[in-house]
């Protein structure tokens, strides 16, 4: 699989990584055996970048990733980079983003991951005031100096937040929602990140599964799945669920996307693989982190890292679907 350097860290990571939210919670139940099998299948397929967070299953995802890393220690860690996120274990108000809490959160994550130094920690969609505050980065710089973390970045909800983080010299990565239904980051964020040598980690590449083309009006998600309980944004930012796209609108747009894949890429590339390849082939993107609940999904997602250059007919078609069906509702919001 293609590799790209993660910001200025010197670490090379696979262009398709693995997001592990679903291994902790909020996507229905996943046994530890199944979670571990997903990690191993991803590694076998060439994935070297693993993204987790301290709140995924209240630490369960970090722990599973940590045991996976420990079992691969004898082979030099297989070149793996494991990154986590912090900041959602308390109310997301500026007063909570202080060094005392940073150290407590990171000590817990280091225990969960079984490491002394975390490869990269990301602030987990904090308020804009935190992203704009000099004190935030003074604290993070001190944690790098102390060896608690090797590097830091920011996971954001909006393009404005991304641009603010990119301007900070110590920020090595920005994680942002980017997919065929969320094109706004292409306008300013990706060019700014490339100019500043800041990694872009593209999350929600399948729009919570919409872009796989497997859902329709009759699809039922588990009660514990955020695709059921957060469609109105009552639990967290609605942009994290179906990328903020109204479900019925998304189903219709996904059908158009599937037809576009079939007409321009042929039968050998699935809609999900096309969506993932679209993400990592955008100039400025370092890696994309689809989730997977099965070994088949993990292997198929990783294979998207082998898809050749996408033709203009496909790229133009993605833009046309967005402009016609989604731009008016999505573009102004994030």
């Amino acid at each position: 699989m293609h590799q790209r350097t993660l910001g200025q860290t010197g670490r090379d990571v696979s262009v398709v990584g693995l997001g592990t939210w679903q291994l902790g919670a909020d996507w229905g139940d996943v046994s530890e055996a199944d979670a571990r099998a997903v990690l191993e299948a991803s590694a076998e397929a060439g994935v070297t970048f693993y993204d987790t967070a301290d709140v995924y299953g209240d630490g369960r995802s970090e722990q599973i990733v940590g045991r996976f890393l420990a079992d691969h220690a004898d082979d030099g860690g297989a070149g793996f980079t494991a990154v986590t996120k912090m900041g959602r274990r308390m109310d997301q108000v500026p007063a909570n983003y202080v060094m005392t809490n940073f150290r407590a959160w990171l000590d817990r994550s280091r225990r969960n991951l079984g490491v002394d130094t975390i490869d990269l920690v990301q602030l987990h969609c904090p308020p804009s005031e935190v992203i704009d505050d000099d004190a935030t980065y003074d604290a993070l710089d001190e944690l790098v100096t102390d060896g608690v973390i090797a590097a830091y970045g920011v996971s954001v909800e909006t393009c404005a937040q991304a641009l603010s983080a990119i301007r900070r010299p110590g920020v090595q990565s920005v994680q942002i929602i980017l997919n065929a239904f969320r094109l706004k980051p292409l306008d300013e964020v990706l060019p700014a990140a490339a100019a500043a040598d800041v990694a872009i980690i593209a999350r929600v590449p399948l729009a919570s599964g919409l872009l796989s083309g497997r859902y329709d009006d009759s699809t039922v998600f588990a009660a514990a799945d955020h695709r059921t309980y957060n469609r109105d944004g009552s639990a967290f930012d609605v942009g994290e669920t179906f990328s903020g796209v109204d479900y019925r609108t998304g189903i219709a747009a996904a059908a158009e996307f599937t037809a576009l894949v079939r007409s321009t890429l042929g039968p050998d590339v699935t809609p999900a693989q096309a969506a993932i390849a679209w993400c990592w082939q955008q100039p400025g993107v370092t890696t994309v982190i689809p989730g997977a609940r099965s070994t088949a999904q993990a292997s198929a997602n990783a294979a998207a890292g082998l898809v050749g250059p996408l033709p203009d007919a496909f790229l133009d078609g993605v833009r046309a679907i967005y402009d016609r069906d989604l731009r008016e509702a999505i573009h102004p919001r994030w």
Side-chain angles (χ1 to χ4, degrees):
M1 193 187 300
H2 296 285
Q3 304 280 313
R4 290 176 180 159
T5 304
L6 186 71
Q8 300 174 51
T9 67
R11 288 179 169 273
D12 289 335
V13 299
S14 53
V15 294
V16 178
L18 180 71
T20 65
W21 183 10
Q22 75 289 346
L23 303 188
D26 294 317
W27 294 78
D29 292 334
V30 177
S31 71
E32 180 161 349
D34 287 345
R36 184 57 184 269
V38 164
L39 290 166
E40 295 292 352
S42 296
E44 180 68 22
V47 169
T48 63
F49 185 81
Y50 299 86
D51 176 274
T52 185
D54 57 4
V55 291
Y56 294 167
D58 194 26
R60 180 176 187 260
S61 177
E62 284 185 331
Q63 292 165 7
I64 293 170
V65 170
R67 289 190 281 272
F68 164 73
L69 295 174
D71 287 348
H72 284 273
D74 289 343
D75 55 10
F80 296 152
T81 295
V83 308
T84 193
K85 298 183 285 292
M86 67 175 183
R88 299 190 105 161
R89 293 186 56 74
M90 300 176 70
D91 291 340
Q92 291 176 272
V93 296
N96 285 336
Y97 291 82
V98 294
M99 180 62 90
T100 301
N101 288 335
F102 287 176
R103 288 193 183 277
W105 295 336
L106 290 169
D107 285 349
R108 181 177 184 270
S109 289
R110 289 193 293 169
R111 289 194 299 272
N112 284 342
L113 290 167
V115 299
D116 294 324
T117 301
I118 296 172
D119 294 337
L120 180 141
V121 70
Q122 304 155 89
L123 294 177
H124 199 171
C125 298
S128 295
E129 296 90 334
V130 174
I131 297 173
D132 296 338
D133 190 351
D134 292 347
T136 300
Y137 304 97
D138 291 341
L140 292 169
D141 286 336
E142 183 176 333
L143 290 163
V144 172
T145 299
D146 291 349
V148 175
I149 57 176
Y152 61 82
V154 185
S155 183
V156 302
E157 295 288 5
T158 71
C159 289
Q161 291 174 336
L163 292 169
S164 178
I166 287 167
R167 288 192 287 268
R168 299 290 178 162
V171 168
Q172 299 299 326
S173 68
V174 166
Q175 184 175 140
I176 191 168
I177 295 176
L178 175 68
N179 60 53
F181 289 173
R182 283 281 288 270
L183 303 193
K184 189 174 181 177
L186 304 183
D187 296 347
E188 296 183 73
V189 173
L190 268 57
D197 201 9
V198 171
I200 289 290
I201 302 168
R203 74 175 186 275
V204 198
L206 300 179
S208 302
L210 278 178
L211 286 162
S212 71
R214 296 186 295 108
Y215 304 157
D216 58 30
D217 285 334
S218 66
T219 303
V220 176
F221 302 99
D225 190 315
H226 72 103
R227 292 170 293 184
T228 295
Y229 68 77
N230 193 55
R231 289 191 190 187
D232 59 356
S234 58
F236 43 81
D237 192 292
V238 71
E240 300 285 347
T241 300
F242 300 126
S243 296
V245 177
D246 172 76
Y247 183 69
R248 287 181 176 272
T249 301
I251 290 296
E256 294 182 62
F257 181 81
T258 295
L260 176 68
V261 172
R262 295 287 181 253
S263 65
T264 60
L265 304 182
D268 295 333
V269 178
T270 68
Q273 289 170 333
I276 294 167
W278 179 91
C279 284
W280 73 257
Q281 292 189 23
Q282 297 303 313
V285 171
T286 305
T287 187
V288 55
I289 50 170
R293 285 169 51 88
S294 69
T295 57
Q297 283 182 335
S299 299
N301 289 348
L306 306 176
V307 173
L310 295 168
D312 288 343
F314 175 75
L315 300 175
D316 293 345
V318 168
R319 175 69 70 170
I321 293 170
Y322 180 78
D323 287 345
R324 181 177 60 250
D325 300 336
L326 305 170
R327 174 182 283 271
E328 183 177 356
I330 297 300
H331 212 77
R333 298 193 62 183
W334 293 281

